[in-house]
Amino acid sequence: AQSSVTIYGKLNIEAGKAVATTDKTLLDVAGSRLGFKGVEDMGGGLKATFGIEHRFSPQDGQANARFWNGYSTVGLMGDWGHIRMGRDYVVGFLMVQNQIDPFGGDTQAALRGVGMLQGGARVRYNSQIEYHLSTNGFNLAAQVADSTNNGGNDNRAMAFAANYAAGPLFVGLAYENGSAADDKQISLGARYNFGFATLSAGYSKGTTAANVDGKGYLLGANIPFGAGDFKVGYAVGDANTAVAGNYKKVGVGYHYNLSKRTKVFADYAKVGGTDAIGPKTGYDFGIQHNF
Amino acid sequence: AQSSVTIYGKLNIEAGKAVATTDKTLLDVAGSRLGFKGVEDMGGGLKATFGIEHRFSPQDGQANARFWNGYSTVGLMGDWGHIRMGRDYVVGFLMVQNQIDPFGGDTQAALRGVGMLQGGARVRYNSQIEYHLSTNGFNLAAQVADSTNNGGNDNRAMAFAANYAAGPLFVGLAYENGSAADDKQISLGARYNFGFATLSAGYSKGTTAANVDGKGYLLGANIPFGAGDFKVGYAVGDANTAVAGNYKKVGVGYHYNLSKRTKVFADYAKVGGTDAIGPKTGYDFGIQHNF
Amino acid sequence: AQSSVTIYGKLNIEAGKAVATTDKTLLDVAGSRLGFKGVEDMGGGLKATFGIEHRFSPQDGQANARFWNGYSTVGLMGDWGHIRMGRDYVVGFLMVQNQIDPFGGDTQAALRGVGMLQGGARVRYNSQIEYHLSTNGFNLAAQVADSTNNGGNDNRAMAFAANYAAGPLFVGLAYENGSAADDKQISLGARYNFGFATLSAGYSKGTTAANVDGKGYLLGANIPFGAGDFKVGYAVGDANTAVAGNYKKVGVGYHYNLSKRTKVFADYAKVGGTDAIGPKTGYDFGIQHNF
C-alpha cells in the first residue's frame, strides 16, 4: 500500500528577530509542513491525484488551527489538463505572486507580502474547483470557489492565471475576484536569468473586501555564489492609494545549500514608510530541511 | 521501520446540494480519512494489531474536532479471535447497520441513517474492549465500553453482533445497549446477490437516551452496469413510534469505477414525510480516491 | 521520497484504575504517539536531522491539544556533536530523570514524577536550541530556550546534563534553570546491572516557579524473569521542604515481552503520605505495541 502514498515535508526554523518586534526567538516564516500525496495511473492517459498538506509551528509543536492548511485536493489529470477539487492555493498566488520574490516568501526578508499581495489578493480558497493546463511552456489556470466557505456573502470567488517559462525567461499574469462585493486584484511579474544573476520584477493592484484600494511592486535579484546564492530585493506596498502612506522593505540574505534538500541561511531586513510601526529591522540565521 | 506501518486513506469530494439546504457547494459525506495501521506476526499464531484513523474535511482542510475520529485501537489476534481496546465502531454498526445501504453511507443519497440507525444506535464507543471471532463464514463480536467516556451516567455500554456471509448471501443481526438508562437498539439486515443485482433489506428498532422510541427500514439494490453499478434504495425512519410523523428517503445513483481505487459518481435523493424540513431534494457529482 | 522519512509510533492502552480515582476505565500513561523522522547524510560527515512526534489518547481518539507535543526539531549533526532547534525534551529529563524509574514513566506504577521531578523540573522547552556530544560512553548536553515561549517572564531557560554508560553501569547528573525567577532543579541518578537484577537510585531537589522548595528520591529494580521482567520501586516526593507533608509511592509490575515490539503488563501501585488524597491504590492490565 505504501507505493500509493508519498510523504514529504519541510522543517524550517530560524533564530532571529522579526521586523516590528523586539523579541529574539525562534521563528518559522517558510511554513514547516508534512504532506501526503499520490498519483494513480489508471491507464489510457488518465490519472487520479490527491494531496493533503499539514502546516505547523516547530518552535512550539502547535498545529495550524486549520490542520490541513496547506491544501487538500482530489483530482483527475490527463493530456487535457488537471481538475482538482477541495482547498487549494489561489492560482494567481501559485503561478504569479509567489514566483517573483527572491526569498520565495521565506525568512524575515520576504518581500512577497509587501509587493505582490496588495489589494484583494487571497492565498487560498476553500471549496474550490480548479482547472490547469500546461502546454509548450505555457501554464493556464482557472478556478471558482464557493462564496459561503470563503468569508464572503455575495459572489463565488474566481481566479485566473497564466505564466510562461522558457529557458531563462518567466512571465506571469493573474486576476482574481473574491467572494465579497469589492475584492479583486491583478498581479503580474517576470524573471530573467542573466547567468550572473536572476532579476525579477512584479506589480500588484486591487481592492480589498473593505473597499480599500492598494498597490505594490517588487524588484529582486538572486545572485549565485559558491554553493548558494545571495538574495536581495526591494518592495513597496501602498495599502490605500487615496491616502498618503506606504510601507517599504529592503531584504538581503545569503542561502547556502548543504545539499539539494538542506540549506542554512542568514537574512537581514529593514522597513520604512509611514505605515511601518515599531522596530524597523529584522534578521535571522536558520536551517531548512526538505524531506 | 516502514514495513511495520501501512498508510492508507480516502479523498472524497462531491459538488452538489444537500437535502434540506439550498447551498450548492462542495460536500464530503463519505468521510475523507488518513490512517496508519499494522499487524505484527509474533510467531505461534499470535499477532499484535494497531490502527488509528483520522477524519477531515477536504473542502476546507479542517480536521475533525476529535482528530482520530475513525478509530484508534491496539489488540491481539490469534486463531481464537481478535481482542482490541480503544475507540472503535460499535460492532452492530460495523457488521450489520453499515452492510445494508447500497450507498454504504456515502453521497447525498445515503440511506443508512434513515433506515438502520433509528432508536439508540451509536456509531462508535470510546474506551471500549471488543472481541471478534470469524469462523466458517460466521463473524461474531461482543464489546463493552466505559460509561463515563460515552456520554452516559449509568451503565457500561454493550453491543453484540453476528453476521454470516457465504457465496451470494449475507445476513446480520445486532443488539446494543448504550450507557444511558434507556438507550438500546436492535438491527437486522440481509443481502443477496442474484447476479443481475444485489438486493438488500434491513430493519432497526430501539429507544434513544431521551427515552424516545424509533424504528426504520431500508430496501436497496446494486445493479452492475458497465464498469460501475446503479444504486437505488428507499428507507423510512420513524423517530417516535408514539407520535404520527416519519421521514422517507429515496436515493438513486450511478457509480463508475475508473480503477479499483478511484470512482466518479452522480446521485439524486428525495425526501418526504412529516419530519422532512426544508428543500426536499439533493444531488451530487463527485470523485472518490482510495489510497 | 519514502526513503527520507521513517514513521514510528507507540499504541499503549491499559485497563485499570488510576491512583486517587475510583473509575475503572481505559488509561494510557505511556503516551501513545505517531512520529516522523529522518537523517540525511550530506557527505563530509555532516548530517541533517529532523523529527516531529504527535501524542494522542487512543481511548477516545483525541489529539493532544499541542499536536506535536512529543517534540519537533531540525538539526545538524557531525563528529563535533548534534545541534537541534525547536521544541524538545529538557536534556535533564531525557538523560537523567527518565533513566532511573524502572517503569520508565509508564503505567499506574510509574515513579518518575514522584521521585525525579520535584522542584522546578520541566519535561520540555519550546523555542530551544540544544547541543549534544557523545564520546567514549559520555553524553553531554546543554540547551537554552526563549523565556516568552516557556511561561516565564524573566530569564531564558537553560539546562545542562551529562551521563555515562559503560557495561553494567549508568550514572547521570543534570541541572536546569527555568524561565521564571525562582525555578531550578538538580537531579542525579544511577543504575547498575547485577545480572539477576538492575538496581537504580535517583534524587532530585529544586525550587518551583512559585518559589516552593521540593525534593524527592527513587529506588527501583528490574528483575528479568522469563520473557519479561518484574519491576519494583519506591519513591518519595516532598513538595515543600519547609512544611511537614510528603507523598510516597510503591509500584510493582510484571511486563511480559510478546516480541521485541509488543508487551503485555500488569501493575499495582499504592501511595501514602500526608499529600496523598483519595483512594490509595491503582492497578492496570495493558498492552503496548511499538511500530
Side-chain angles (χ1 to χ4, degrees):
Chain A
Q2 240 57 345
S3 62
S4 61
V5 191
T6 297
I7 303 172
Y8 71 96
K10 183 195 296 285
L11 257 288
N12 179 87
I13 302 182
E14 54 250 15
K17 186 186 85 67
V19 163
T21 74
T22 58
D23 192 25
K24 292 162 193 164
T25 186
L26 298 190
L27 304 158
D28 171 25
V29 179
S32 291
R33 64 198 68 177
L34 174 68
F36 301 84
K37 64 182 179 182
V39 176
E40 180 194 6
D41 191 334
M42 301 188 292
L46 190 61
K47 291 171 180 168
T49 68
F50 81 92
I52 54 178
E53 188 180 286
H54 166 56
R55 296 295 181 98
F56 65 96
S57 160
Q59 310 97 292
D60 58 11
Q62 295 281 13
N64 194 294
R66 187 185 301 273
F67 194 86
W68 302 104
N69 188 55
Y71 67 90
S72 56
T73 63
V74 60
L76 294 175
M77 185 165 60
D79 290 340
W80 44 267
H82 191 177
I83 289 180
R84 296 196 296 269
M85 297 197 292
R87 171 178 174 82
D88 207 354
Y89 289 106
V90 175
V91 295
F93 178 85
L94 193 67
M95 293 168 59
V96 180
Q97 296 150 18
N98 194 36
Q99 301 294 329
I100 307 305
D101 180 1
F103 298 92
D106 294 3
T107 84
Q108 301 308 316
L111 300 169
R112 186 177 68 197
V114 177
M116 297 303 292
L117 294 172
Q118 297 296 332
R122 297 191 55 185
V123 174
R124 296 179 184 89
Y125 289 150
N126 289 321
S127 291
Q128 61 84 48
I129 302 179
E130 65 197 296
Y131 170 70
H132 291 261
L133 179 66
S134 296
T135 179
N136 296 318
F138 286 95
N139 300 291
L140 309 171
Q143 82 192 138
V144 60
D146 182 30
S147 60
T148 54
N149 278 298
N150 289 289
N153 304 306
D154 302 299
N155 312 304
R156 292 191 185 280
M158 279 182 288
F160 306 91
N163 67 33
Y164 175 76
L169 177 68
F170 170 93
V171 292
L173 173 67
Y175 172 75
E176 59 187 276
N177 190 334
S179 60
D182 298 304
D183 56 338
K184 55 185 182 290
Q185 199 232 35
I186 189 166
S187 58
L188 52 96
R191 292 194 314 260
Y192 196 89
N193 185 347
F194 290 92
F196 73 96
T198 296
L199 303 186
S200 53
Y203 177 78
S204 66
K205 184 176 194 300
T207 307
T208 69
N211 202 14
V212 174
D213 290 340
K215 63 183 177 185
Y217 67 87
L218 187 162
L219 299 171
N222 292 69
I223 306 160
F225 184 83
D229 67 329
F230 282 101
K231 298 171 189 289
V232 57
Y234 176 67
V236 176
D238 183 341
N240 187 339
T241 53
V243 173
N246 59 12
Y247 188 90
K248 303 170 186 182
K249 186 173 183 180
V250 171
V252 297
Y254 182 64
H255 290 221
Y256 181 81
N257 300 308
L258 294 170
S259 74
K260 285 192 177 177
R261 300 201 280 126
T262 305
K263 68 177 179 180
V264 289
F265 51 88
D267 305 278
Y268 174 82
K270 184 164 187 179
V271 301
T274 52
D275 293 345
I277 310 296
K280 298 287 190 293
T281 59
Y283 58 86
D284 59 57
F285 304 90
I287 178 168
Q288 182 176 119
H289 174 69
N290 295 280
F291 59 92
Chain B
Q2 239 57 344
S3 61
S4 61
V5 191
T6 296
I7 303 172
Y8 71 95
K10 182 196 296 287
L11 258 288
N12 179 87
I13 301 184
E14 53 250 14
K17 186 187 86 65
V19 164
T21 74
T22 58
D23 193 24
K24 291 160 193 165
T25 186
L26 298 190
L27 304 158
D28 170 25
V29 179
S32 290
R33 66 199 66 177
L34 175 68
F36 301 83
K37 63 182 180 182
V39 177
E40 180 194 7
D41 191 334
M42 301 187 293
L46 189 62
K47 291 170 180 168
T49 69
F50 81 92
I52 53 177
E53 188 180 286
H54 166 56
R55 296 297 181 98
F56 65 97
S57 161
Q59 309 98 292
D60 58 10
Q62 295 281 13
N64 194 294
R66 187 186 300 272
F67 194 85
W68 302 103
N69 188 55
Y71 66 91
S72 56
T73 63
V74 60
L76 294 175
M77 185 165 60
D79 291 338
W80 45 266
H82 192 178
I83 289 179
R84 297 196 294 269
M85 299 197 292
R87 171 178 173 82
D88 206 354
Y89 290 107
V90 175
V91 295
F93 177 85
L94 193 67
M95 294 167 58
V96 180
Q97 296 151 17
N98 194 36
Q99 301 294 328
I100 306 304
D101 180 1
F103 298 91
D106 293 4
T107 84
Q108 302 308 316
L111 300 169
R112 187 177 67 196
V114 177
M116 297 303 293
L117 292 172
Q118 296 297 332
R122 297 191 54 184
V123 174
R124 295 179 185 90
Y125 290 151
N126 289 321
S127 292
Q128 62 83 48
I129 302 178
E130 65 197 298
Y131 170 70
H132 292 261
L133 179 65
S134 296
T135 178
N136 296 318
F138 286 95
N139 300 291
L140 309 171
Q143 82 193 138
V144 59
D146 182 30
S147 60
T148 54
N149 278 298
N150 289 288
N153 304 305
D154 301 300
N155 313 303
R156 292 190 184 281
M158 278 183 289
F160 306 91
N163 67 32
Y164 175 75
L169 176 67
F170 171 91
V171 292
L173 172 67
Y175 172 75
E176 59 187 276
N177 190 333
S179 60
D182 297 304
D183 57 337
K184 56 185 180 290
Q185 200 232 33
I186 189 166
S187 58
L188 52 96
R191 294 195 313 260
Y192 196 90
N193 185 348
F194 289 94
F196 72 96
T198 296
L199 303 186
S200 53
Y203 177 77
S204 66
K205 184 176 194 298
T207 307
T208 69
N211 202 15
V212 175
D213 290 339
K215 63 184 177 185
Y217 68 87
L218 189 162
L219 299 171
N222 292 69
I223 304 161
F225 184 83
D229 66 330
F230 283 102
K231 298 170 188 289
V232 57
Y234 176 66
V236 176
D238 183 341
N240 186 342
T241 53
V243 174
N246 60 12
Y247 188 89
K248 303 169 186 183
K249 186 172 184 181
V250 172
V252 297
Y254 182 65
H255 289 221
Y256 181 82
N257 300 307
L258 294 169
S259 75
K260 285 192 176 178
R261 301 202 279 126
T262 304
K263 68 178 179 181
V264 289
F265 52 87
D267 305 278
Y268 174 82
K270 184 164 187 180
V271 301
T274 51
D275 293 347
I277 311 294
K280 298 288 189 292
T281 59
Y283 58 85
D284 59 57
F285 305 90
I287 178 169
Q288 181 175 118
H289 174 69
N290 294 281
F291 58 93
Chain C
Q2 239 57 345
S3 62
S4 61
V5 190
T6 297
I7 303 172
Y8 70 95
K10 182 197 296 287
L11 257 289
N12 179 87
I13 301 183
E14 54 250 15
K17 187 186 85 65
V19 164
T21 74
T22 58
D23 193 24
K24 292 160 192 167
T25 186
L26 298 191
L27 303 158
D28 171 25
V29 179
S32 290
R33 65 198 68 177
L34 175 68
F36 302 83
K37 64 181 180 184
V39 177
E40 180 194 7
D41 190 334
M42 301 187 293
L46 190 62
K47 291 171 180 168
T49 68
F50 81 93
I52 54 177
E53 188 180 286
H54 166 55
R55 296 297 181 98
F56 65 97
S57 160
Q59 309 98 291
D60 58 11
Q62 296 281 12
N64 194 294
R66 188 187 300 272
F67 193 85
W68 302 103
N69 188 55
Y71 66 90
S72 56
T73 63
V74 60
L76 294 174
M77 185 165 60
D79 290 339
W80 45 267
H82 192 179
I83 288 179
R84 297 196 294 270
M85 297 197 292
R87 170 178 173 82
D88 206 354
Y89 290 106
V90 175
V91 295
F93 177 85
L94 193 67
M95 294 167 59
V96 179
Q97 295 151 18
N98 194 36
Q99 300 294 329
I100 306 303
D101 180 1
F103 298 91
D106 294 4
T107 84
Q108 302 307 316
L111 300 169
R112 186 177 69 197
V114 177
M116 297 303 293
L117 293 172
Q118 297 296 332
R122 297 192 55 184
V123 173
R124 295 178 185 89
Y125 290 150
N126 289 322
S127 291
Q128 62 83 48
I129 302 178
E130 64 197 298
Y131 171 69
H132 292 261
L133 179 65
S134 295
T135 178
N136 296 318
F138 286 94
N139 300 291
L140 309 171
Q143 82 194 138
V144 60
D146 183 29
S147 60
T148 53
N149 278 298
N150 288 288
N153 304 304
D154 302 299
N155 312 303
R156 294 193 183 279
M158 277 184 288
F160 306 91
N163 67 32
Y164 174 75
L169 176 68
F170 171 92
V171 291
L173 173 68
Y175 172 76
E176 59 187 276
N177 190 333
S179 60
D182 298 304
D183 57 338
K184 56 184 181 291
Q185 200 232 33
I186 189 166
S187 58
L188 53 97
R191 291 195 315 258
Y192 196 89
N193 185 348
F194 290 93
F196 73 96
T198 296
L199 304 186
S200 53
Y203 177 77
S204 66
K205 184 176 194 301
T207 306
T208 69
N211 202 16
V212 175
D213 291 339
K215 63 183 177 184
Y217 68 87
L218 187 163
L219 299 172
N222 292 68
I223 305 161
F225 184 84
D229 67 328
F230 283 101
K231 297 172 189 289
V232 57
Y234 176 67
V236 176
D238 183 341
N240 187 340
T241 53
V243 174
N246 61 11
Y247 189 89
K248 302 170 185 182
K249 186 173 183 180
V250 171
V252 297
Y254 182 65
H255 290 221
Y256 181 81
N257 299 308
L258 294 169
S259 75
K260 284 191 177 179
R261 299 201 281 126
T262 304
K263 68 178 178 179
V264 289
F265 51 87
D267 305 277
Y268 174 82
K270 184 163 188 180
V271 301
T274 51
D275 293 346
I277 310 295
K280 297 288 188 293
T281 60
Y283 58 85
D284 60 56
F285 305 89
I287 179 169
Q288 183 175 118
H289 175 69
N290 294 280
F291 58 93

